[in-house]
Amino acid sequence: MTAVTTTDGRGAAGAPVRALTVLYDAECVLCTHLRGWLARRPQLVPLELLPAGSAAARARFPGLDHVATLEEVTVVGDSGQVYRGSRAWIVILWALREHRPLAHKLATPAGAGLARGAVLAAAKWREAQGRGQRQDGRWGGQVYQRADGWSYHPRTGWSYSPPSCAGAAPASR
């Protein structure tokens, strides 16, 4: 279990970062795509990719607001540092061999605005997707969801297995 602190408190900001846990929304198409992309990148600092709000995430980081981790990317350092939003993306890029120079540029005052804009654009896209559900609760056709029978496998992509209804009459055509 890791104690969770923010980078603002108790000296966590000065602690060296030897590993990072990236909490991502496993029900979001963009997030799962980026998860796969991150897993394929050469890493200077190891990244563990963990579904946000999962039982594993809740057990590992009990002091974290897990509802918030589903709304915006959250990264937890091995010393308990917590990064959210554009800061999380900067630290993720910093962990990647080929993107560390970009992370240093985005960490400057001039680059921070660009990083913030990119995160806001991604959030706007996610909001527009509605995570697959329309306001009336019916399928919106934009995002595959596990509850609807879809599952994602990094090697094979999305697959569909209809939810079973015990005792239901066979469907007629």
Side-chain angles (χ1 to χ4, degrees):
M1 218 180 329
T2 303
V4 176
T5 59
T6 65
T7 55
D8 300 332
R10 295 185 283 184
V17 176
R18 294 186 178 94
L20 295 166
T21 302
V22 179
L23 300 171
Y24 69 96
D25 184 351
E27 298 292 331
C28 166
V29 173
L30 177 61
C31 301
T32 56
H33 172 76
L34 290 171
R35 180 226 175 272
W37 181 82
L38 288 171
R40 294 186 302 273
R41 302 274 74 79
Q43 301 169 1
L44 294 172
V45 176
L47 295 176
E48 179 183 1
L49 304 160
L50 190 62
S54 66
R58 290 177 188 281
R60 185 119 169 254
F61 307 112
L64 202 58
D65 179 354
H66 291 280
V67 172
T69 65
L70 287 166
E71 294 172 2
E72 104 181 300
V73 65
T74 303
V75 176
V76 182
D78 59 332
S79 295
Q81 308 93 326
V82 176
Y83 307 89
R84 289 192 169 90
S86 60
R87 290 181 182 197
W89 281 112
I90 292 170
V91 81
I92 289 168
L93 292 172
W94 174 82
L96 302 176
R97 181 170 33 114
E98 55 200 8
H99 297 290
R100 187 167 275 189
L102 174 60
H104 285 289
K105 290 176 185 174
L106 293 174
T108 66
L114 180 62
R116 201 169 19 263
V119 169
L120 289 173
K124 192 70 170 169
W125 185 87
R126 276 178 39 115
E127 181 183 322
Q129 299 310 301
R131 296 195 59 191
Q133 291 288 357
R134 296 194 314 214
Q135 292 290 41
D136 60 6
R138 296 181 314 173
W139 172 244
Q142 296 180 19
V143 177
Y144 298 126
Q145 298 220 346
R146 282 178 176 71
D148 296 321
W150 290 96
S151 61
Y152 180 78
H153 308 283
R155 293 180 193 206
T156 59
W158 287 97
S159 62
Y160 179 70
S161 178
S164 64
C165 297
S172 58
R173 294 184 184 220

